[in-house]
Amino acid sequence: MGGFGKEKVHPVIRSKHRDGTSTLKKRIQASTVMESPLHVKDQLPSVSSSMDSQIQSCCLVCLGNTSCRIVRSRTKLMNILIEKGKPQEAQLIFDSLTEEGHRPTLITYTTLLSALTHQKRFKSIPLLISKLEKNGLKPDSVFFNAMINAFSESGNVKEAMNIFQKMKDRGCKPTASTFNTLIKGYGNAGMPEECLKLLDLMSQEENVKPNDRTFNILIRAWCNKKRITEAWNMVDKMAAYGLQPDVVTYNTLAKAYAENGETSRAEGMILEMQNNRVMPNERTCGIIINGYCKEGKMKDALRFLYTMRKHSVQPNLVIFNSLIKGFLDITDTDGVDEALTLMEEFGVKPDVVTFSTIMNAWSSVGLMDKCQEIFDDMEKAGIEPDIHAFSILAKGYVRAGEPEKAEALLTAMGKSGLRPNVVIFTTIISGWCSAGKMEYASRVFKKMRKMGISPNLKTFETIIWGYGEAKSPQKAEELLQIMEQMGISPAKSTVQLVADAWHAIGLVNEAKRIKNDPEEAPKIMVSTTEDEAAAAAAAAESLQRTYQKQNLKGSYSDIPQMPGIAMTDQNRSGSASIRSRMIIKGPGFPSESLSTVTKSMFLAQASGFRVKKPSFICRTQFQGHVWVCGQCVNSCGLVFLT
C-alpha cells in the first residue's frame, strides 16, 4: 500500500457508459483514500447500499446466466489489487460492475469478502449472505470459509461459530480448512481449551481429518499461553493420527522456549529434529540466535552462528541484524565488528534495519553527529531510509536539545517521498515544548493538521504540558476544546495537566475547577474576585521573573535529560574519539571494507561520557512521556519517547 497515494485510479474505475456519462458518480481518488485513512469509511460507498441498488442487469450475457467476460476479468483484477494491498480499489471495481448492470458471480462476491476483510470492515460482512442469495446465488464452502476467516481474524469467534452453523444448515459440509480457521481464531483469542473441543468435533465429521496444519495451530495456541507441556502433548497426539511434526512444529516450540528465556532448550531440540529427519532452516536458527541475543548471551549466539554451517544453513540478514543489535545492547564493539565482518564474508548486504540499529545506538548516547553520518552512509549506499530511520533522527535531535534539526527532517522526508506520521510530529512538538518555544510547537501542530495527519492523545498532552511550563494555562485549556471538536476524549492525565498549569501560576481555584468539573473545562469561564485576580497577576509576574532568570537557553550540557541517557562532555579528551563510519563493500557500494565500523563505539561511555542525573522528577509520568527536571521547575524539560 506504500505507493498507493501516488498512483492513479485504475482505468476500469473511470470507464464510461456508451452514452459517454461516467459510470461512477461518487468515486474518490486513490490518493485521497490513502492520505486520509480516518475518513475512508465515510468516502467509500457502503457495501449494503451498493448491493441494495436494484441490480437490473442490462448486460445480455449476465441476463442469460452465462459467464460474462467483463465480470471474469474484473474479478481477476480485484484479486490482483488485493494482492497489491489495495482492497479499497478492489471494492470500487465491484461497485462499478453493479452500477454498469453486470451480475457478480459467487467468485466475485468471495473476492469482495476478501477485500472487506483486508479493510477490517467486518460489520458489512454478515449482509453478504442474504444479498448473495437474493441475487440467485448459493454460498459454497469456499465462501463460508472466507466469512469464518474474516470473523476469526477480527477476534469475533462467536460470530465465526454462527457462520459455521449457517454453513451446516445450508447443507455445506465443513472442510479441514474450516476447522483449522476456527481453531486458529480461538487460539488467537487465547482459548486453547476451545480449540481442543473443535478438534474433537472435527474428528466426528465424515471425511474430515486433522492435518499437520491443524496440530501446528493447536501447538501455537498452547505456546502463546506459555503452556509448553500441553504443546508437547499435541506433538504426541499427532502420532495417534499418523502425522509427524515438521519444521513449523519445531520452530513454534523453539520460539516458545526462546520467549520464555530458555533458548538453550530450543537449541537442544535440533538433535531431536534430526532424529526425526527434520532439518533446521533459517527460521529455526534465527529464533535461537535472537533468543540468545535477548538473553544477553552473545557468546552463545556467535557460537551457534558458526555451527550453522554444520546444519547447511546460510545466515541471512535477519540473523545478522539480531547479532548486531545484541552486541550493541551490551556495548560490545568488538562483537559488532565481528558480526559485520562475518556479514561481508557471507555476502550479506546490510539493509535499512542494519543502519537504523546502529543509528539508534549513537542516538541513545547523544552522539547525533555520528548518527547522522550513519544515515548519510545509508543514502550513499543506495538504501532508501524508511520512516523509522527518520524517527530515530528526530528523537535523537530532540534528546540533544536541537528541535530545529528535528523539524528540518520533515522537508527531507518529503524529498524522499515519505509522509511523516503522528509519532514524528509529536516528537518534534515535544522538542519545541522542552525548549520553551511554544510558538514553534504551535506552528508544527498547525502544519501537522494541514497535512491531514490527525493528532492523538499524546500529541495534545505534549502541547498542554508545554503551555503549562510556559505559564499559559488558558492556552492549555483551549486545547481541550480542540480535542472535543476532533472527537478525542481527554484522559485523567490530560485534565491533570491542565489543572497543573493553572496551579503553577497560583490559581488554585481554577485548578480545582478543572479537576472537579472537567465537563466545564472547555468553556474557559474564569470567575474570580478583584483581589484574587490581583494576587494571581502578582504571583504570575513573580514567577515569570524567576522563569527568565533561569537562563533557559543554556548550553547543551544544561538541558535536562532522561536518567540513563549519556550526554557528551564538552571537555572530553581526544582519547575518547570514536570511529563510526560504516562503509559498505560490494557491487554498487564504495570499495572500503564493511568491517571499518567502529571498534570503540561505546568506549567513550567509560571515559568521555557521563550520565547526567536529574535533581528530581517533575510532576508525573504519563503514557510514554517522561519529564525530568534540573534545579528548578521552570527549567523542566520534556523528552517524548515512543
Side-chain angles (χ1 to χ4, degrees):
M1 296 177 66
F4 185 51
K6 297 181 180 179
E7 299 177 9
K8 297 180 180 180
V9 178
H10 196 277
V12 172
I13 301 178
R14 291 184 177 152
S15 59
K16 303 280 186 178
H17 278 305
R18 293 178 182 176
D19 62 1
T21 60
S22 175
T23 62
L24 303 180
K25 297 179 180 178
K26 296 182 180 179
R27 287 294 164 263
I28 55 174
Q29 295 296 325
S31 59
T32 305
V33 175
M34 289 306 295
E35 289 179 6
S36 303
L38 293 177
H39 305 293
V40 166
K41 293 182 180 179
D42 296 331
Q43 297 184 46
L44 285 173
S46 67
V47 180
S48 58
S49 62
S50 65
M51 290 189 297
D52 270 334
S53 60
Q54 295 294 329
I55 305 180
Q56 296 178 351
S57 198
C58 62
C59 173
L60 296 178
V61 178
C62 291
L63 281 174
N65 290 324
T66 54
S67 179
C68 176
R69 180 180 57 82
I70 294 176
V71 174
R72 289 199 312 270
S73 63
R74 294 198 190 173
T75 300
K76 183 177 180 180
L77 177 59
M78 287 172 65
N79 276 307
I80 293 172
L81 290 170
I82 292 170
E83 289 175 1
K84 290 185 176 181
K86 303 175 182 179
Q88 295 95 335
E89 285 200 40
Q91 185 180 332
L92 294 176
I93 297 293
F94 178 89
D95 293 336
S96 72
L97 280 173
T98 59
E99 290 180 12
E100 291 175 15
H102 291 285
R103 181 175 294 167
T105 65
L106 179 59
I107 297 174
T108 313
Y109 275 104
T110 306
T111 307
L112 172 64
L113 176 55
S114 176
L116 293 173
T117 303
H118 279 79
Q119 296 177 76
K120 301 187 183 301
R121 299 187 66 191
F122 302 112
K123 291 182 179 179
S124 302
I125 292 175
L127 300 171
L128 286 178
I129 294 180
S130 58
K131 298 301 177 184
L132 188 143
E133 292 177 337
K134 182 179 178 181
N135 292 315
L137 297 172
K138 184 179 180 181
D140 60 2
S141 59
V142 176
F143 183 84
F144 278 117
N145 285 344
M147 291 199 77
I148 291 170
N149 178 68
F151 288 111
S152 294
E153 289 290 326
S154 71
N156 190 349
V157 288
K158 183 179 179 180
E159 187 61 33
M161 286 300 295
N162 289 338
I163 299 297
F164 174 72
Q165 190 58 50
K166 287 182 182 179
M167 177 182 186
K168 298 182 72 175
D169 292 343
R170 282 166 173 76
C172 288
K173 292 187 177 181
T175 63
S177 177
T178 311
F179 283 101
N180 288 346
T181 303
L182 285 169
I183 292 171
K184 180 182 176 182
Y186 277 107
N188 291 340
M191 295 186 282
E193 294 85 359
E194 295 298 321
C195 296
L196 291 180
K197 293 178 182 179
L198 282 167
L199 179 63
D200 293 336
L201 186 62
M202 185 179 189
S203 303
Q204 297 170 14
E205 287 287 333
E206 186 178 356
N207 298 324
V208 178
K209 292 183 179 180
N211 51 30
D212 53 355
R213 175 168 168 74
T214 311
F215 282 101
N216 284 335
I217 295 171
L218 281 163
I219 289 167
R220 185 172 62 188
W222 287 114
C223 287
N224 288 342
K225 297 290 287 185
K226 299 187 182 299
R227 295 171 66 174
I228 303 179
T229 300
E230 285 85 350
W232 276 110
N233 290 339
M234 290 297 101
V235 177
D236 296 334
K237 202 166 188 176
M238 289 180 76
Y241 285 88
L243 300 170
Q244 292 294 323
D246 58 11
V247 68
V248 176
T249 312
Y250 287 109
N251 286 350
T252 303
L253 290 162
K255 184 181 178 183
Y257 278 128
E259 290 179 348
N260 203 39
E262 299 177 286
T263 306
S264 58
R265 297 189 67 176
E267 182 179 355
M269 286 199 315
I270 289 182
L271 181 60
E272 182 175 342
M273 292 175 68
Q274 293 171 334
N275 290 337
N276 289 327
R277 297 182 181 181
V278 178
M279 297 303 297
N281 58 15
E282 289 182 348
R283 171 73 174 155
T284 316
C285 297
I287 289 169
I288 293 170
I289 287 178
N290 188 55
Y292 279 132
C293 290
K294 287 186 176 180
E295 293 176 25
K297 299 177 180 178
M298 296 310 300
K299 289 183 178 179
D300 287 323
L302 201 57
R303 169 190 56 77
F304 185 78
L305 183 135
Y306 283 106
T307 65
M308 287 178 64
R309 296 176 179 177
K310 182 177 67 176
H311 302 305
S312 302
V313 180
Q314 180 89 352
N316 59 19
L317 183 57
V318 175
I319 289 174
F320 280 114
N321 284 342
S322 294
L323 272 176
I324 292 169
K325 185 178 186 306
F327 282 121
L328 288 172
D329 286 343
I330 63 170
T331 65
D332 185 345
T333 56
D334 290 336
V336 173
D337 191 57
E338 184 174 359
L340 290 167
T341 302
L342 284 169
M343 197 172 179
E344 186 179 27
E345 289 177 1
F346 279 98
V348 178
K349 295 179 183 178
D351 66 351
V352 65
V353 176
T354 316
F355 282 97
S356 296
T357 301
I358 299 176
M359 282 174 58
N360 194 57
W362 287 122
S363 172
S364 65
V365 295
L367 288 177
M368 288 310 297
D369 288 343
K370 300 300 182 184
C371 181
Q372 185 68 57
E373 284 179 4
I374 297 297
F375 182 87
D376 294 340
D377 286 339
M378 175 169 57
E379 292 190 310
K380 290 176 184 176
I383 299 173
E384 294 183 2
D386 59 9
I387 196 163
H388 179 62
F390 278 104
S391 180
I392 291 170
L393 280 177
K395 188 161 57 176
Y397 280 128
V398 166
R399 280 173 173 162
E402 299 178 290
E404 68 283 353
K405 290 185 178 180
E407 185 175 350
L409 293 173
L410 296 175
T411 303
M413 290 182 71
K415 292 179 180 179
S416 297
L418 291 173
R419 181 177 170 81
N421 58 19
V422 64
V423 175
I424 288 180
F425 269 110
T426 303
T427 302
I428 296 168
I429 289 170
S430 73
W432 286 121
C433 289
S434 295
K437 297 183 177 180
M438 292 309 298
E439 66 276 15
Y440 292 91
S442 179
R443 180 190 65 197
V444 176
F445 181 71
K446 291 177 181 177
K447 183 186 295 186
M448 175 185 184
R449 297 184 67 186
K450 187 176 181 180
M451 290 182 65
I453 299 172
S454 297
N456 58 21
L457 182 63
K458 290 182 180 180
T459 312
F460 279 106
E461 290 192 335
T462 301
I463 304 176
I464 290 172
W465 175 87
Y467 279 125
E469 293 302 303
K471 306 298 179 290
S472 301
Q474 189 169 8
K475 289 185 176 181
E477 190 168 336
E478 286 172 357
L479 285 166
L480 293 178
Q481 286 183 319
I482 298 176
M483 290 178 70
E484 185 179 22
Q485 293 167 3
M486 297 187 67
I488 300 175
S489 300
K492 288 183 179 180
S493 55
T494 319
V495 176
Q496 182 64 51
L497 284 170
V498 178
D500 288 346
W502 284 112
H503 196 279
I505 65 168
L507 293 180
V508 180
N509 288 338
E510 292 307 309
K512 289 180 179 179
R513 173 181 62 83
I514 294 293
K515 292 176 68 176
N516 295 334
D517 195 4
E519 292 183 359
E520 292 296 318
K523 296 181 180 179
I524 317 180
M525 298 292 291
V526 181
S527 176
T528 57
T529 64
E530 292 184 5
D531 291 339
E532 287 175 332
E541 184 178 354
S542 175
L543 283 170
Q544 184 64 26
R545 286 196 298 269
T546 305
Y547 183 66
Q548 293 171 347
K549 290 179 181 179
Q550 293 302 318
N551 188 20
L552 296 181
K553 298 180 181 179
S555 66
Y556 175 84
S557 61
D558 290 332
I559 297 175
Q561 297 292 326
M562 288 277 295
I565 297 297
M567 298 298 298
T568 54
D569 189 334
Q570 300 296 326
N571 300 316
R572 64 186 177 88
S573 65
S575 62
S577 63
I578 300 175
R579 291 169 55 231
S580 68
R581 306 286 287 190
M582 188 177 81
I583 309 297
I584 288 95
K585 182 178 179 181
F589 298 109
S591 59
E592 291 87 344
S593 172
L594 179 67
S595 64
T596 55
V597 66
T598 175
K599 284 190 177 181
S600 57
M601 184 174 284
F602 290 91
L603 293 179
Q605 282 191 325
S607 56
F609 297 93
R610 60 188 175 85
V611 175
K612 182 171 181 178
K613 298 182 179 179
S615 299
F616 54 90
I617 302 296
C618 176
R619 292 191 184 169
T620 184
Q621 300 180 5
F622 68 97
Q623 299 187 11
H625 300 260
V626 180
W627 302 324
V628 183
C629 299
Q631 297 300 320
C632 178
V633 172
N634 295 318
S635 64
C636 181
L638 167 68
V639 178
F640 178 84
L641 299 176
T642 56

